[in-house]
Amino acid sequence: MSDTTLKPHQKELWGHPVGLYILFFTEMWERFSYYGMRALLTLYLVQKTTDKNPGLGWLDQESIMLYGWYTMLVYVMSIPGGMIADKILGQKKAVLYGALTLVAGHGILAFDEMWAFYTGLILIILGVGLLKPNISTMVGGLYKQGDIRRDKGFSIFYIGINLGSFLATFIVGYVGEKIGWHYGFGLAGIAMLLGLAVYLYGQKYLINVGNKPTLEDKKNDVSIGKLLTDLLKSPVHLGIVGLIVIYAFYAGFTYSGVDNWGYTALYIFIGLVAGIMMMIYKNLDTQVMKDRYMVLLLSFIIVIVFWGAFEQAGGLMSIYTKNNTDRMLFGWEIPATWFQSLNAGFIILLATSVAGYWAKRKLKGKEGSSLFKMAIGVIIMGLGFVFMIFAASEFNSKGSSGMQWLVLAYLFHTVGELCASPVALSFITKLAPVKYASLMMGVYFAATGLGNKVAGVLGEKASEFGEYTIFAGITIFTVIFGLLVIALLKPLKRLTHGAEDNERIMHDDEAEGFELADN
């Protein structure tokens, strides 16, 4: 069949569905807006109110605390976002409404008022919660089961994420730091409008994915309400959740921090999610599905560990860059936000090479399972903090540290991320029960959010223990954790029951396209 006789959603470009590139550019502009705002957030919070470009004048610890809560909630809201898509809207409309909410949120942040600041943050949290899990689910839906191009498709999609991040940290970062924080926030909103325009234009290429659930889908699906009802009928599982809730209230009364009741709400939320996860396991039909589900839950733990270390970039490492790093180059001081672009820049340069390496390795029969890649990613990322240890040591002895340590740290973090993060996204679409696909993607992003909160907690501790101790502790823990996953790899792979063993090129013409994309 020639390309001219194909319907728009059947057409391919460079070996992948055209819909992938629509989602690529939609996500690129969404990430431009998000990472542009993220690059400015902690620096805006700590900037003194008396400076030429005044900020809010918060303490480092307070700023990192808000950063941790904000970035956690951005991803935790993916759970209700996934549920709304599964039950009501479908992924396609959920992405649309999420994009509209993000435009409103970033636009409100352009106003220099505290009400606008908090309102904008809330709208961004809600918008990302609708958009983020569902656009990723749509990427997975573009490929048939067993299509080896799926991992490569997610890696291409990942380039879009990081192209947006790369451009944002340069452009929005410079505008915010040098011209005005709220001009930077407003510029992020304009970028989100571009993403919305691309998405609306490309609807004809997405006809076959993300559609509103049919009556049959709803009939065969199990609602969250029913899962919670089943939980109330299960004394053992209800008891586990009850213990978590009791501890949550205990923490609220005894924790001395200003965000004590925030932790109470977090623990209650974790308890309810744990209960829902237990009920899903109980309701799965076969042992194969249950075994795969357990491996999927383990992958969420890997995700929490990974992002708990990696997300120091937007918090502790961002403030460290501004306060402790010698940023002078040929007599000009490099903006602190620009260093966050290193991660995105390295991803753009290395993403297809890393994905191609793993794909060729697997085709040759060598170990290339998703769990192995994720474990290697955690180890490599953790080793990146060795360079931050060197930086902290140099600062302690000389009063400032060289930029080269940040460059090397971000390089290792990026390689680790490329091994772990896009693979984790793809892994979920392989193992998740079909009727819980969006919910599981939401739980993945919630795990990412919990990792962000862990990162915030660790960053807060730097004021107590010092950066050197925090960076050293992260290095040791992540390497040991990654090695432990590798040690357990064989029994874990058995529990997947060959979910990745049958991946293959679907057709000869697709194989040609895959090789083209790889080059």
Side-chain angles (χ1 to χ4, degrees), residues 173-440:
Y174 181 83
V175 170
E177 274 196 89
K178 301 301 182 181
I179 300 176
W181 301 107
H182 296 279
Y183 287 104
F185 295 146
L187 181 59
I190 294 173
M192 191 60 245
L193 269 176
L194 291 174
L196 178 60
V198 170
Y199 186 68
L200 291 173
Y201 164 78
Q203 289 299 295
K204 61 184 177 182
Y205 299 106
L206 302 170
I207 293 174
N208 61 326
V209 293
N211 294 311
K212 186 176 180 179
T214 64
L215 291 176
E216 188 66 23
D217 292 332
K218 294 178 181 179
K219 180 180 177 181
N220 294 330
D221 205 354
V222 180
S223 69
I224 298 301
K226 186 177 186 308
L227 290 171
L228 290 174
T229 301
D230 291 343
L231 178 63
L232 293 174
K233 297 177 181 178
S234 176
V236 174
H237 297 109
L238 185 62
I240 295 172
V241 175
L243 289 174
I244 297 175
V245 172
I246 291 171
Y247 178 77
F249 281 103
Y250 171 78
F253 281 111
T254 59
Y255 178 63
S256 59
V258 295
D259 54 349
N260 54 340
W261 291 108
Y263 279 104
T264 301
L266 175 60
Y267 292 145
I268 292 173
F269 172 78
I270 291 173
L272 291 174
V273 171
I276 291 171
M277 294 299 100
M278 287 186 287
M279 289 301 100
I280 290 175
Y281 176 84
K282 185 178 178 181
N283 290 340
L284 292 177
D285 297 328
T286 67
Q287 190 60 45
V288 170
M289 294 176 67
K290 290 183 176 183
D291 288 346
R292 289 177 174 175
Y293 183 72
M294 292 303 296
V295 177
L296 187 62
L297 295 183
L298 173 65
S299 74
F300 293 149
I301 297 175
I302 300 174
V303 167
I304 293 172
V305 171
F306 181 89
W307 292 109
F310 182 92
E311 274 299 319
Q312 298 303 321
L316 179 59
M317 285 178 65
S318 181
I319 294 176
Y320 182 92
T321 302
K322 182 177 177 64
N323 296 336
N324 299 355
T325 303
D326 180 5
R327 295 180 279 117
M328 298 301 296
L329 183 66
F330 303 121
W332 181 67
E333 187 176 54
I334 301 173
T337 52
W338 283 16
F339 284 86
Q340 292 190 44
S341 69
L342 288 170
N343 171 241
F346 284 137
I347 283 180
I348 294 167
L349 291 174
L350 301 175
T352 54
S353 296
V354 173
Y357 166 79
W358 285 114
K360 290 177 180 177
R361 178 184 171 90
K362 190 165 187 177
L363 288 172
K364 292 177 181 177
K366 297 181 180 179
E367 179 60 59
S369 64
S370 294
L371 287 171
F372 182 72
K373 296 176 192 176
M374 293 166 69
I376 292 296
V378 170
I379 292 171
I380 294 174
M381 182 274 302
L383 291 175
F385 282 97
V386 171
F387 301 107
M388 294 309 300
I389 295 172
F390 292 153
S393 179
E394 185 176 313
F395 174 79
N396 291 336
S397 61
K398 298 181 179 179
S400 67
S401 59
M403 293 182 287
Q404 72 275 11
W405 303 123
L406 286 168
V407 174
L408 290 169
Y410 278 116
L411 174 61
F412 272 67
H413 290 180
T414 300
V415 175
E417 181 183 1
L418 287 171
C419 292
S421 187
V423 171
L425 282 171
S426 181
F427 194 50
I428 291 166
T429 65
K430 297 171 187 174
L431 293 189
V434 174
K435 62 183 178 181
Y436 298 114
S438 288
L439 177 58
M440 289 299 102

Side-chain angles (χ1 to χ4, degrees), residues 6-11 17-19 142 204-208:
L6 293 174
K7 294 180 180 179
H9 69 276
Q10 296 174 320
K11 293 182 179 180
V18 174
L142 293 171
K204 61 184 177 182
Y205 299 106
L206 302 170
I207 293 174
N208 61 326

